[in-house]
Amino acid sequence: MPLPTRVIACLILSAAGAAHAADGFTFSVPPGPHAVGLKVVQQYDRARSYKAEIDLATGEPVKGERARPVQTLVWYPAARGGKPVTYRDYLDTVPSEDEFTRSPADIQRMTAERIDGNAAGHREALLRDIARPQLAVRDARPEGGKFPVVIYAPSYSSYAIENTDLCELLASHGYIVLSSPSLGAHTRAMTTDIEGVEAQAADISFLIGYAATLLQADSAKVAAVGFSWGGLANVFAAAKDARIKALVSLDGSIRSFPKLVDGGKEAAPYVTPARVALPMLFVGSRPRTMEALNRSENMRTDYSFMNQMKYSDVYIVSMLPMKHPDFASYALRMMADKEFSDFGDYSRDEVNLQHSWAARYTLRFLDAYLKGDSSGLAFLNNTPAANQVPAHTMLTDIRRHKGSVPPTQESFVRSLAAAGFDKAIPEYDRFVAQNPAFKLDENALIGWGVQLSQVGRPAQAREIFRLGARLYPNQSIMHDGLGEMQAKTSQAQEALASYRRVLELDPKNADAIRYVKEHGTAAPGASAP
């Protein structure tokens, strides 16, 4: 759903905070066989700037580091032993998310203000909840072995601790989980535009790169999980970052911001279903009626990115008791029943239970697609009743792809590697027949041919330039490359014809002039392919 004031009020707390004590949040998914460690890493992405020369709030000159801060929480399988953190310890990570220089005293004060200033009438419940031990032990010794990597992307402007229970659960089942806050491109507040979503997508890729430095991480098995705005950012990240092998969207904004992904004038041109040919689990809130959608100014019913994902396995799971904020355990902990939450015909206990089912489906999906677990795949394809989901609480919509190949350059390269580069032209025609929008960019073809030549594969380069000459017959550089590769592969007459075509298009081309002068006595009549 869009990002209404209610959601922001529930999920995005300022330094003073808007926290309200939970009246009994419970997480009912049993932990896995691994103990859980937690590290908090303060690092910068120095390839990107974050702060301007002046503070965009006060107008005062900025002092100190201006690179993008990426405070990172890492959960991981660990050796047993040690004192678990409490939720209060998690809250203490929030004040430093975009400012690493805050002192421990300032952090304690800001957390206390968040609690004391917003717990009127609920203080006992809040203090009781945040004092409970969690699963994780701070800086525990990592367990030996290699584990798949999961990047968690929080909702609009939200915190890295937004879904600590889910992150701990995944780590207990043998995953390394990393999360950083949702920051705008240059301010703590996220923005609902391309610049904002691309900033968070770049954070996801940064965390994947950081995970590769961890000895436990199996960087060949990476998934991105995102809630709300984070469930749009992870799709943007996957469209650019081939390291991501699976996506989980918790009521993600891929559904509510179609204008950013529908191919229109406001959309990112590279975010297409063909570029996101990955298995996806979308766990959504209760569906709205057609009438409610029609009344909404922010929702469209004429386009669905997920409906276009014909190259992917897509699982859409609708949680009938849940509304948008209910996907964040942070919100369920901090909201009071009477003030911020509206569970409708369902009780808080029923919503808590369904929140746990969302986590369970996330775990089994990751087991299926990152670990190759057949029981996880069977679970996903079961009916809710077969999985013992409480009756009348869940709907599922499963779309398994039927083997069609996404029309991308990567797919085309794979096809040529299997069929042989001498089949470049018929393979291209086949791809276009399947998807008329498929096109190989002129510069991409030139670069591809040059790269093949540089790695000592002139025959393959020749076929790529032959394809390029067919697609771009009036570009002399295509015929030039074709002629050079033909000459290198002992096709002298064919090379002469190609260079003569070059001179028709570019009479001053030095390479063509030289070749024709040296080989012009070859038998006439050959023509460029």
Side-chain angles (χ1 to χ4, degrees):
M1 63 184 291
L3 301 162
T5 303
R6 174 178 176 269
V7 173
I8 297 173
C10 292
L11 299 180
I12 317 307
L13 304 188
S14 64
H20 292 263
D23 295 331
F25 171 72
T26 56
F27 189 71
S28 57
V29 188
H34 303 274
V36 178
L38 168 69
K39 291 186 182 297
V40 180
V41 182
Q42 292 184 330
Q43 56 186 330
Y44 292 97
D45 182 354
R46 299 187 186 278
R48 292 184 288 163
S49 65
Y50 176 67
K51 294 181 180 179
E53 292 184 351
I54 63 168
D55 188 296
L56 296 181
T58 67
E60 298 173 354
V62 167
K63 299 179 181 179
E65 183 61 65
R66 291 172 54 200
R68 185 171 181 83
V70 189
Q71 179 168 288
T72 307
L73 273 62
V74 185
W75 293 268
Y76 53 93
R80 296 197 176 276
K83 182 180 179 181
V85 300
T86 66
Y87 203 76
R88 168 62 187 256
D89 295 323
Y90 279 127
L91 290 175
D92 283 339
T93 68
V94 172
S96 60
E97 284 190 331
D98 66 333
E99 183 52 71
F100 298 163
T101 61
R102 288 198 170 102
S103 68
D106 282 341
I107 290 171
Q108 291 291 316
R109 174 183 56 79
M110 294 171 72
T111 301
E113 288 176 353
R114 178 176 290 107
I115 296 167
D116 293 341
N118 296 277
H122 309 280
R123 183 179 179 82
E124 289 186 8
L126 175 60
L127 294 178
R128 183 171 58 249
D129 187 68
I130 66 174
R132 292 192 183 105
Q134 300 285 118
L135 288 180
V137 173
R138 186 76 178 262
D139 298 323
R141 180 169 58 84
E143 183 181 330
K146 290 284 189 179
F147 303 96
V149 174
V150 176
I151 309 299
Y152 179 81
S155 63
Y156 185 84
S157 292
S158 196
Y159 311 138
I161 65 168
E162 178 179 76
N163 262 315
T164 55
D165 303 272
L166 172 62
C167 296
E168 289 185 339
L169 174 72
L170 295 177
S172 77
H173 282 271
Y175 293 90
I176 297 175
V177 186
L178 299 90
S179 178
S180 65
S182 172
L183 308 179
H186 301 291
T187 61
R188 179 61 183 87
M190 178 54 73
T191 54
T192 55
D193 53 22
I194 290 287
E195 185 179 32
V197 72
E198 287 186 332
Q200 189 166 6
D203 288 343
I204 293 170
S205 289
F206 176 83
L207 292 182
I208 294 173
Y210 171 67
T213 69
L214 305 176
L215 293 178
Q216 289 178 298
D218 183 350
S219 295
K221 299 176 180 178
V222 177
V225 178
F227 167 44
S228 190
W229 189 254
L232 175 63
N234 66 350
V235 173
F236 270 64
K240 280 189 172 183
D241 196 330
R243 295 174 295 182
I244 298 173
K245 304 302 183 184
L247 292 170
V248 176
S249 184
L250 303 175
D251 215 26
S253 295
I254 189 67
R255 175 179 274 178
S256 53
F257 279 81
K259 68 179 182 179
L260 300 182
V261 295
D262 64 1
K265 62 181 181 180
E266 295 184 61
Y270 61 89
V271 184
T272 66
R275 291 280 296 270
V276 189
L278 303 172
M280 173 186 273
L281 169 67
F282 186 96
V283 188
S285 55
R286 71 188 71 167
R288 290 192 282 173
T289 66
M290 181 62 69
E291 290 71 27
L293 291 171
N294 184 258
R295 290 194 302 269
S296 173
E297 295 180 358
N298 297 311
M299 293 294 290
R300 284 172 47 192
T301 59
D302 61 331
Y303 180 82
S304 165
F305 189 89
M306 288 185 289
N307 278 348
Q308 304 302 315
M309 293 178 68
K310 61 183 179 180
Y311 311 107
S312 309
D313 291 347
V314 179
Y315 301 85
I316 300 176
V317 179
S318 298
M319 300 296 200
L320 302 185
M322 298 178 73
K323 291 189 176 180
H324 189 66
D326 303 336
F327 287 88
S329 62
Y330 179 90
L332 289 175
R333 273 192 171 86
M334 309 305 269
M335 289 190 302
D337 283 341
K338 296 180 180 180
E339 296 189 31
F340 277 92
S341 58
D342 176 16
F343 300 124
D345 295 333
Y346 298 91
S347 68
R348 174 180 282 277
D349 287 343
E350 289 173 311
V351 171
N352 284 339
L353 179 59
Q354 205 68 7
H355 175 94
S356 296
W357 273 105
R360 185 176 282 109
Y361 266 77
T362 298
L363 170 64
R364 299 314 305 271
F365 173 83
L366 295 173
D367 286 346
Y369 284 97
L370 287 192
K371 294 183 177 180
D373 180 6
S374 59
S375 67
L377 189 62
F379 180 94
L380 294 172
N381 288 289
N382 279 344
T383 64
N387 288 334
Q388 300 184 336
V389 178
H392 316 304
T393 62
M394 182 187 293
L395 300 173
T396 58
D397 180 5
I398 301 171
R399 297 110 178 255
R400 300 294 299 274
H401 84 95
K402 296 180 172 56
S404 52
V405 177
T408 62
Q409 183 171 342
E410 179 180 350
S411 296
F412 185 62
V413 175
R414 287 178 185 272
S415 177
L416 287 193
F421 275 66
D422 60 321
K423 303 295 193 302
I425 289 176
E427 280 297 294
Y428 178 83
D429 291 342
R430 184 176 68 84
F431 266 64
V432 172
Q434 291 178 351
N435 191 324
F438 178 65
K439 184 179 181 180
L440 290 173
D441 177 75
E442 175 185 352
N443 291 327
L445 279 168
I446 294 168
W448 187 2
V450 169
Q451 186 176 6
L452 286 169
S453 175
Q454 290 175 340
V455 297
R457 299 190 178 188
Q460 293 179 342
R462 180 191 66 215
E463 299 309 316
I464 297 305
F465 281 117
R466 191 190 307 277
L467 174 62
R470 180 186 187 238
L471 298 179
Y472 302 96
N474 295 321
Q475 295 298 322
S476 64
I477 191 170
M478 292 297 186
H479 298 278
D480 194 346
L482 176 57
E484 181 183 355
M485 294 304 107
Q486 287 169 328
K488 284 187 175 182
T489 55
S490 302
Q491 295 183 353
Q493 288 192 3
E494 292 86 345
L496 181 60
S498 294
Y499 277 123
R500 281 174 173 161
R501 177 57 177 158
V502 172
L503 290 177
E504 292 176 5
L505 298 168
D506 181 13
K508 296 183 179 180
N509 186 288
D511 290 336
I513 291 172
R514 182 172 58 253
Y515 192 90
V516 171
K517 182 177 180 180
E518 294 176 357
H519 299 82
T521 58
S527 59

